[in-house]
Amino acid sequence: SASASVSAFADADADSPVIRSDPIREEHYARLAQRQGFLTAFREAFPTTHILPKSLLKGCYYHWKQSVQRIVSNHAVVPPGYDIREDFPNAKKWLDWWVHEEVAGMIFKSKGWLKDELQAHPTRTTNDIVYLNSTELDFDHIKNGGRADYRRKKTSKPRETEKFVNDGRELDTTKTLFDLEKKDEEKKNEEKKKEEEKKEEEKKEERKKSAAKKQREGAAKHAERIKENKKRSKQDVLEQGSKKRKVDDSNSDRSMHNNSMFKGLGLSRISADILSQCQLDDDYVLGFYNPKSDGNCGWRSASVVINNNEKHYGIVKLVMKHAIVKEKDFFTSLFGSEECYQYVLAKLSQTDGRVIGTYWFDVLDCPRVLAQAYNRPVIVYSCHLYGVHGTTFLPFREPEKNSNNCIIDIVPIVLYLIGNHFQLIVIKDDAVDRVIWPKLFPGYEFVISRYNITRLWLDLYETRCQYF
């Protein structure tokens, strides 16, 4: 209460006759205390007084009770049935404000710096005093010849508001004190984020289930085809009963040939896991080969099939390089640009020895060049997180034929990629027409149609290749 504080100061300071005999000045400093802050005004007016100015500034008990009522009514801060305690963190700002030394000293007796006369004064609120001061001004205005006009004038001008100056009361906005609006927004954002993460997890799970389902369906179809192929093979053998002895001799010769190749190439038995991943029958596979890992493993694996030795992989590179140089325009169009053509050429131009990852055998361009260079199908199985992806690459020229003008059904070069390392799966010669190969590389039919290339390879493999 600014006016009451100044009056109490005048009564208390007997050495200040100016205050006692000058009520206009007293009213001036009372209004100055209300608008600009009592302490600043007091120091400017009475620089030599021995009285502490803060002992004359009394807080509004009514506003204190209003603030308490608001805080206990806000169940986001204090749950029903509880009092305000230190273990309610949402009330921290509110408590800190009211126990602040400059605020608490104007309200609570326990602080003890307020003068006794002011502390015992029956007035405990500033509301009535402010109202009386306003009414007093109105009376003075009428006494001096003015007229009281209680009508409200309408105006289209925007209302001008004074800059807020805190008059000693606590912040009157709960959201400002406790950041509830900000916390609500953060909570909504967090819930939205969790909902989005949940949806994304559900999508991932759905994709995994879909991939697993397709793989199971593909494996079931493949098993059925293998079963049919075996049945057909048995029927063929029965139909050739009159040639049984000849067939037995042929099988015996074939078995000896396979054993010789197995040892000569240094093959090992293929694991059941790889057979399952590639959907291959153990009866169709001769063996498995793991070449040296030096960045040339793709060419080394191909060299085992072509040259019976991985050490001759440099020859494979050279033949592939010769193929793309000889048909530069065709391969530039196939790769999509001159830049891509030069990149593949750089891969094939690497000398013997370890090479960096940039120049390794890839799963897109190198298999197509290898198939074209040796006029032989190339199969690539690529093992990844969701299973194994298989692709069949066919040459773009006419297949070789025997003396009877029949296509020589040569066994494909079958590469198995796990991580960054290519390995080799060797298929038996007599099983090439019984294996269900993976789907053809996209665009093959378009290329042979565009360049008017023979479709003999496509006719041979179209029924053998199925979606993996």
Side-chain angles (χ1 to χ4, degrees), residues 27 31 56 163 167 233 236 302 344 362 436 440:
E27 177 63 23
R31 292 184 180 279
L56 302 175
K163 184 178 179 181
D167 60 357
S233 297
D236 291 342
V344 176
D362 59 63
I436 304 300
L440 289 172

Side-chain angles (χ1 to χ4, degrees), residues 227-239:
K227 184 178 179 180
E228 291 177 358
N229 287 340
K230 287 184 176 181
K231 183 178 179 180
R232 187 178 63 209
S233 297
K234 290 180 180 180
Q235 289 176 347
D236 291 342
V237 172
L238 292 175
E239 290 174 358

Side-chain angles (χ1 to χ4, degrees), residues 255-319:
S255 178
M256 291 177 62
H257 170 75
N258 289 339
N259 290 335
S260 177
M261 283 192 62
F262 185 88
K263 293 178 181 179
L265 297 177
L267 304 180
S268 61
R269 297 291 298 175
I270 189 169
S271 70
D273 288 342
I274 297 178
L275 286 172
S276 175
Q277 290 171 356
C278 301
Q279 300 180 22
L280 293 171
D281 193 299
D282 187 36
D283 293 341
Y284 303 157
V285 179
L286 181 63
F288 188 76
Y289 187 85
N290 185 13
K292 182 179 179 180
S293 178
D294 63 348
N296 294 294
C297 54
W299 292 285
R300 286 179 178 274
S301 297
S303 183
V304 172
V305 177
I306 297 168
N307 303 312
N308 297 329
N309 194 318
E310 71 166 285
K311 294 181 180 180
H312 302 313
Y313 68 90
I315 299 175
V316 178
K317 275 189 174 182
L318 188 62
V319 174

Side-chain angles (χ1 to χ4, degrees), residues 1-13 19-20 26-27 30 38 56 117-118 121:
S1 172
S3 298
S5 299
V6 175
S7 298
F9 166 72
D11 294 338
D13 195 346
I19 298 299
R20 287 180 177 276
E26 176 184 338
E27 177 63 23
F38 174 79
L56 302 175
E117 306 95 285
L118 199 57
H121 197 281

